[in-house]
Amino acid sequence: MMFVAIAAVSFASCGNKAADAEKATADSIRIADSIAAVEAAAAEAAAQAADTIAADTTVVTETVVAE
């Protein structure tokens, strides 16, 4: 009886490895997609900030002539 219980537990633990590997792969893909989305948003924010700074710091030079 003990042998049957050990065999059942061994069989059950081996059967879950494929499902665990599949879940781990899906999690890795989800995490990589999330990181890519955050990086894209950060790049967009940086580009907008650079455009804003460039527009705000445009120097207008004026020549004043004393008369």
Side-chain angles (χ1 to χ4, degrees), residues 61-65:
T61 56
E62 207 175 288
T63 305
V64 177
V65 179

Side-chain angles (χ1 to χ4, degrees), residues 32-63:
D33 287 346
S34 296
I35 291 171
V38 169
E39 288 176 347
E44 178 66 25
Q48 287 179 349
D51 288 344
T52 301
I53 290 171
D56 289 346
T57 60
T58 302
V59 177
V60 177
T61 56
E62 207 175 288
T63 305

Side-chain angles (χ1 to χ4, degrees), residues 22-38:
E22 196 172 299
K23 183 177 182 254
T25 300
D27 287 346
S28 295
I29 292 170
R30 182 183 49 81
I31 291 168
D33 287 346
S34 296
I35 291 171
V38 169

Side-chain angles (χ1 to χ4, degrees), residues 3-31:
F3 176 73
V4 173
I6 292 172
V9 169
S10 297
F11 182 72
S13 66
C14 291
N16 289 335
K17 288 183 183 178
D20 290 344
E22 196 172 299
K23 183 177 182 254
T25 300
D27 287 346
S28 295
I29 292 170
R30 182 183 49 81
I31 291 168

